[in-house]
């Protein structure tokens, strides 16, 4: 009897404790605070106006949260790294904007299934004239320097010839070597470029014959020099045109610090500068301080399409394909429900509606 009574007592206590446990769990779920969703402005995925957000990624997350039955509040930050730090440190439950899924990031956070196929792109202004810095760089090219040195050496050779011919009888060309060569160089230079000023002239028969010869040679020499310089400058300008990632070497490039574009440029040894956000990069491009911006292709394409007056171009299409995902802290209990909701949005056509709303015009 005592044994039966003990078993009954244990059973009653177990039921009571289990019931209270379920009740506590239910109360915990009912009292769960809204999720903190970290986001940042990156058009057209996220627009921030007076702390109100909109954009492709915002519409997508709103639909996902509705499908998964999740309540949330947006937390606005300024960089992708702040988003990643927030979820890694559990200061945010989720981060969404235009976050590329990378192996390095996967080491410290978790990602949802990909929801947008992206890639890197190049934004440049094809009609922008070269500024002074670019012009000086072109003028200092090895080819132009060689052409210029060749012209100077030819002038000095002609100066020695006229000095040797005229030095004995012509006071315009002193017998002293340095003074005589200096005067000969002056005569040679002005004769080859302007057919002479008349302040220094050869008086001997041989000197005058050489003067006629030098004038005729000068016509071809200067014409060839001008054509060679013009051809090289044209070539340099064409070389300055960026049509794809292979043209980025040796150009002035900028991108956003810490972005996948930043890492891609660094890994390939392409010199570049970095800015805090993409808007700063656009300012540098508009002021011709850089020749191109390398960043996420859809972001740059949207900038080009929405600003036709700036003659932007995104040459070559996307390269280095990458996917965007939603970031979670490791082992987040919400990741699986968000993934299921994401798949349902694709199946029921809601994702396509959101995509066409923001990108139908841009990518058609």
């Amino acid at each position: 009897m005592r044994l039966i009574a003990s078993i009954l007592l244990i059973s009653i206590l177990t039921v009571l404790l289990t019931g209270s446990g379920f009740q506590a769990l239910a109360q915990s779920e009912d009292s769960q605070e809204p999720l903190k969703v970290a986001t940042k402005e990156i058009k057209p995925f996220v627009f921030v106006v007076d702390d109100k957000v909109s954009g492709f990624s915002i519409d997508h997350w709103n639909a996902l949260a509705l499908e998964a039955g999740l309540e949330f509040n947006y937390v606005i930050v300024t960089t992708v790294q702040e988003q990643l730090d927030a979820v890694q440190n559990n200061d945010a439950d989720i981060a969404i904007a235009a976050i590329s899924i990378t192996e390095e990031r996967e080491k410290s956070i978790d990602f949802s299934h990909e929801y947008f196929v992206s890639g890197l792109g190049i934004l440049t202004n094809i009609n922008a004239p070269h500024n002074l810095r670019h012009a000086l760089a072109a003028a200092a090219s090895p080819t132009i320097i060689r052409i210029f040195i060749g012209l100077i050496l030819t002038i000095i050779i002609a100066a020695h010839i006229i000095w040797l011919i005229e030095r004995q009888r012509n006071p315009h060309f002193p017998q002293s070597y340095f003074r005589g060569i200096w005067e000969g160089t002056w005569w040679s230079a002005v004769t080859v470029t302007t057919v002479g000023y008349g302040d220094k002239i050869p008086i001997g028969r041989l000197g005058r014959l050489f003067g006629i010869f030098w004038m005729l040679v000068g016509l071809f020499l200067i014409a060839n020099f001008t054509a060679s310089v013009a051809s090289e400058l044209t070539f340099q300008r064409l070389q300055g045109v960026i049509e794809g990632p292979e043209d980025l070497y040796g150009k002035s490039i900028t991108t956003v610090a810490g972005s996948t574009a930043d890492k891609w440029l660094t890994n390939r040894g392409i010199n570049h500068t970095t800015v805090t956000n993409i808007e700063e990069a656009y300012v540098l491009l508009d002021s011709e301080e850089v020749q191109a911006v390398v960043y996420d292709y859809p972001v740059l394409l949207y900038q080009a399409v929405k600003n036709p007056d700036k003659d932007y171009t995104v040459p070559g299409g996307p390269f280095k394909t990458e996917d965007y995902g939603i970031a979670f802290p490791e082992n987040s209990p919400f990741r699986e429900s968000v993934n299921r909701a994401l798949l349902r949005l694709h199946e029921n056509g809601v994702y396509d509606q959101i995509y066409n709303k923001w990108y139908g015009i841009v990518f058609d």
Side-chain angles (χ1 to χ4, degrees), residues 34-338:
L35 303 181
K36 295 179 180 178
V37 179
T39 191
K40 66 172 286 291
E41 183 169 48
I42 178 167
K43 302 171 184 178
F45 292 92
V46 180
F47 296 83
V48 179
V49 179
D50 297 330
D51 293 331
K52 294 181 180 180
V53 293
S54 61
F56 172 81
S57 291
I58 298 302
D59 284 356
H60 185 228
W61 171 251
N62 290 342
L64 282 174
L66 181 63
E67 187 72 28
L70 300 174
E71 296 184 2
F72 64 92
N73 292 319
Y74 285 114
V75 178
I76 301 172
V77 297
T78 57
T79 66
V80 174
Q81 192 58 51
E82 289 183 65
Q83 289 183 281
L84 300 178
D85 291 342
V87 294
Q88 183 178 353
N89 300 329
N90 289 304
D91 294 326
D93 303 290
I94 287 166
I96 186 170
I99 305 175
S100 299
I101 302 173
T102 67
E103 185 270 339
E104 183 66 27
R105 291 171 177 176
E106 186 70 41
K107 292 178 182 178
S108 57
I109 60 176
D110 287 337
F111 282 100
S112 68
H113 298 320
E114 59 86 13
Y115 70 88
F116 194 96
V117 179
S118 178
L120 297 183
I122 303 168
L123 180 69
T124 186
N125 189 340
I126 195 170
N127 293 322
H130 287 280
N131 59 23
L132 179 60
R133 181 166 59 88
H134 296 150
L136 291 175
S141 70
T143 301
I144 290 182
I145 291 175
R146 285 196 297 269
I147 294 172
F148 182 75
I149 291 175
L151 178 63
I152 295 299
L153 289 176
T154 305
I155 289 173
I156 292 175
I157 291 172
H160 278 77
I161 294 174
I162 194 65
W163 175 69
L164 289 172
I165 294 174
E166 294 289 312
R167 65 186 178 131
Q168 296 295 337
R169 62 177 66 92
N170 193 336
H172 292 158
F173 301 95
Q175 293 189 23
S176 169
Y177 176 77
F178 290 106
R179 287 185 60 201
I181 292 302
W182 170 251
E183 299 299 338
T185 300
W186 169 256
W187 174 86
S188 177
V190 298
T191 300
V192 82
T193 55
T194 65
V195 197
Y197 285 152
D199 58 336
K200 299 184 188 306
I201 58 174
I203 59 177
R205 183 178 302 172
L206 185 59
R208 290 184 175 181
L209 286 174
F210 178 74
I212 294 172
F213 170 77
W214 183 238
M215 292 177 195
L216 295 175
V217 169
L219 296 176
F220 294 97
L221 190 63
I222 294 302
N224 183 66
F225 174 78
T226 304
S228 298
V229 170
S231 176
E232 179 62 18
L233 288 175
T234 301
F235 176 75
Q236 289 290 330
R237 185 173 181 85
L238 291 176
Q239 285 292 95
V241 175
I242 299 173
E243 297 181 344
E246 65 280 358
D247 298 324
L248 294 174
Y249 293 91
K251 308 300 191 301
S252 51
I253 309 297
T254 193
T255 188
V256 177
S259 65
T260 52
D262 185 12
K263 292 179 174 60
W264 184 86
L265 291 167
T266 300
N267 291 339
R268 279 153 183 77
I270 300 176
N271 292 331
H272 62 285
T273 60
T274 59
V275 293
T276 304
N277 58 67
I278 191 61
E279 299 297 333
E280 294 178 17
Y282 298 149
V283 172
L284 293 180
L285 181 62
D286 292 340
S287 63
E288 298 179 34
E289 294 184 49
V290 298
Q291 293 172 273
V293 177
V294 179
Y295 198 57
D296 294 6
Y297 178 79
V299 176
L300 299 181
L301 183 60
Y302 182 85
Q303 177 72 6
V305 170
K306 295 301 180 182
N307 295 277
D309 58 309
K310 294 187 176 181
D311 295 321
Y312 285 144
T313 181
V314 185
F319 59 95
K320 191 192 175 297
T321 301
E322 55 188 24
D323 300 325
Y324 291 163
I326 302 168
F328 300 87
E330 288 188 314
N331 303 314
S332 169
F334 305 106
R335 180 168 175 253
E336 189 61 30
S337 60
V338 169

